[in-house]
Amino acid sequence: MKDATLCLLVKDSPGDQMILLGKKKRGFGLGKYVGMGGKIEAGETLEGATVREIKEEINVLVKEEHLIYAAHLLFVFPFKPSWDHDVHVYLTKHWQGDPQESDEILPVWYPLDDLPYASMWDDARYWLPHILAGDVIEAHFTFQSNNQIVAEARIDKISNY
């Protein structure tokens, strides 16, 4: 199982509630809209890995103290175990710089009430509304044999952030 982080940049001012997603241009999740994040390198904290990945993927600076812990997600792919992931999800409402395209991610802002779920991993429709509503969750997803559609989902609310 691969350990990873994910972070969603959120604009939360009245009349301007948006979330930044990135269209994957290569690698795992190619063509899907995802949050920023990735693997945790040796010796890194979860927060340190999150900050590094955001900088690498969209050239934005986020400080660790501005990360809001939102979820612990387990993704199990019984028909492709090399895809299994243990992911820690953060939100942030504070950053420096404007998101820029990289060789891995094309950043795109979406209104919170009009997210492209059909172009995201299938699990996002289950957990993303919870964290956008202020819930801190733990969730477990098992995928069907096509490795695209969720076969089983369990979500437990832990608290609010």
Side-chain angles (χ1 to χ4, degrees), residues 62-77:
V62 174
K63 295 180 181 178
E64 289 185 26
E65 59 265 25
H66 290 146
L67 295 173
I68 302 165
Y69 191 80
H72 181 203
L73 309 175
L74 292 174
F75 301 104
V76 177
F77 295 84

Side-chain angles (χ1 to χ4, degrees), residues 24-32 121:
K24 285 284 287 184
K25 295 167 55 179
R26 64 178 171 98
F28 187 71
L30 176 67
K32 295 185 185 301
W121 282 100

Side-chain angles (χ1 to χ4, degrees), residues 45 52 119:
T45 63
R52 176 186 50 76
S119 299

Side-chain angles (χ1 to χ4, degrees), residues 6-60:
L6 187 64
C7 188
L8 301 165
L9 281 65
V10 179
K11 290 182 187 177
D12 197 17
S13 53
D16 191 24
Q17 294 185 308
M18 308 276 285
I19 186 171
L20 184 70
L21 298 173
K23 186 171 185 181
K24 285 284 287 184
K25 295 167 55 179
R26 64 178 171 98
F28 187 71
L30 176 67
K32 295 185 185 301
Y33 284 91
V34 298
M36 307 319 127
K39 67 180 184 257
I40 302 164
E41 294 181 355
E44 275 187 318
T45 63
L46 295 172
E47 295 82 6
T50 304
V51 167
R52 176 186 50 76
E53 286 284 346
I54 293 168
K55 181 69 174 162
E56 289 175 2
E57 290 183 346
I58 58 170
N59 199 29
V60 167

Side-chain angles (χ1 to χ4, degrees), residues 114-134:
D114 190 25
L115 298 178
Y117 287 113
S119 299
M120 299 172 76
W121 282 100
D122 188 45
D123 55 84
R125 65 188 169 100
Y126 294 95
W127 63 266
L128 189 52
H130 285 279
I131 68 169
L132 292 175

Side-chain angles (χ1 to χ4, degrees), residues 73-147:
L73 309 175
L74 292 174
F75 301 104
V76 177
F77 295 84
F79 298 89
K80 192 155 190 164
S82 64
W83 283 12
D84 291 357
H85 277 78
D86 183 349
V87 179
H88 295 270
V89 181
Y90 295 89
L91 299 175
T92 189
K93 297 178 182 181
H94 305 281
W95 60 87
Q96 293 177 334
D98 293 320
Q100 298 175 14
E101 183 175 357
S102 67
D103 62 346
E104 186 174 357
I105 293 284
L106 171 65
V108 181
W109 288 103
Y110 283 95
L112 290 183
D113 60 358
D114 190 25
L115 298 178
Y117 287 113
S119 299
M120 299 172 76
W121 282 100
D122 188 45
D123 55 84
R125 65 188 169 100
Y126 294 95
W127 63 266
L128 189 52
H130 285 279
I131 68 169
L132 292 175
D135 296 339
V136 177
I137 63 168
E138 287 186 359
H140 184 277
F141 300 97
T142 303
F143 284 79
Q144 295 180 8
S145 60
N146 65 5
N147 298 313

